[in-house]
Amino acid sequence: MRLGGRLAAAIEVLEDISRRHRPVADALKDWGLSHRFAGGGDRAAIGNIVYDALRHKRSAGWLLGEETPRAVGFGALLLEWNQTAQSLNAALEGDKFAPPLLTAAELQAIAERRLADAPPAVRADVPDWCEPLFEQAFGPAWVEEGAALATRPPLDIRVNTLQADRQKVLAELAETGAKAAHLAPYGIRIPPIDGDGRHPNVQAEPAFQKGWFEVQDEGSQIVAALAGAEAGMQVLDFCAGAGGKTLALSAAMGNTGQVFAHDAEKARLAPIFDRMRRSENRNVQIVTKPSELAPLTGHMDIVLVDAPCTGSGTWRRRPDAKWRLTQRQLDTRKGEQSAILEAAKAFVKPGGLLVYITCSVFDEENGEQISAFRDRNSSFAPIDHRALWDGHFPGHEAAARIGSTGDISLSPSLSGTDGFYFCALRRAN
């Protein structure tokens, strides 16, 4: 397929997403099933246009004067594919599968509009109702941070130190352009793709099958490291999900002590079993029933709460979620987070840590949750997060926001990672 056919297909997928309000992955899968003639390169390129259009929905639409699937599809190519209006029309001309060429009105809009003149929420590529949330979280830098969440993400990997070291994995992935991560000590990064490129399927690599590494955003690796799990500890991962942080904690403990992996939704834990077998994490116990949790009460050195949240910090990877999010969903998540914190505190032993993590950038899910929890629970107090950060990442003082009340925030613009929030509270003896 030429660019015109790929763009037409992307617009078709975007129309499906808009009409049926469905996740982008589902829409792309259905398009592929009904267009089996499209090769892997075509599908990757179409997916890139769709994801770019969703990341840049506001700014791409603004350039053409409307936020229709056609406009954001064309706009995505202008913003991310090094295309101009003239080069696009030239590429599409004569292609019977291409959408209609840019009209005179569209060409005029593109010629007259500069993104620098767009309203702040457009430049940040966020919904209007999220503007105050971003301004609260980032202050004067909120537009830049929103725009950073609309860029293409890298592919990050965590080396499983139980099986390999970083140099060994880098040697195995040399052909992918992989480099040592900037901050995470066991992290590896494959840079964001360009144009119609695609990331290598690292999970098909023999090194992955041998358990040498896991795919995990560098920010997720960093907050797992900050939790401070050490050999011989008793740790409860209270919202373990698929187990990414569970395995990172287990490796940090050198397969000693115990990590108890729990999730209220048992189905979320399903992938952890294969991951454990591949990675040879042997100190992980899967705990699903209340009767299995009860004996842990008051005995854990660390209770990690990777709380369910809006996922606003992951919008680079899940841009469709940005446009489906509502205030009602945010309020629902806040209620869940509060209830989970109250349940999790019971498992922290005197002198132990309650570690609260989200992949959200909204203060309502982060600092405000911690403040409300502390108002209800005076026996929990934040540790020195500046000392914690500097101890783990000396020389990178400016790579995270350290809150005045005690917390750490990561973001694409500042840290080069997904957006994450971290706060560790110590229970009084």
Side-chain angles (χ1 to χ4, degrees), residues 25-40:
D26 292 349
L28 284 168
K29 180 180 178 181
D30 282 358
W31 187 92
L33 290 173
S34 60
H35 298 78
R36 294 183 182 275
F37 62 84

Side-chain angles (χ1 to χ4, degrees), residues 182-183 386 389-390 392-400:
H182 181 57
L183 292 170
R386 170 52 68 185
W389 179 264
D390 291 346
H392 279 82
F393 306 106
H396 297 285
E397 293 82 2

Side-chain angles (χ1 to χ4, degrees), residues 188-199:
I188 290 175
R189 170 161 291 184
I190 298 173
I193 55 176
D194 294 319
D196 62 356
R198 49 181 167 173
H199 276 132

Side-chain angles (χ1 to χ4, degrees), residues 292-308:
E292 297 170 330
L293 271 177
L296 308 183
T297 302
H299 292 298
M300 296 295 101
D301 295 290
I302 299 171
V303 175
L304 188 86
V305 174
D306 186 6

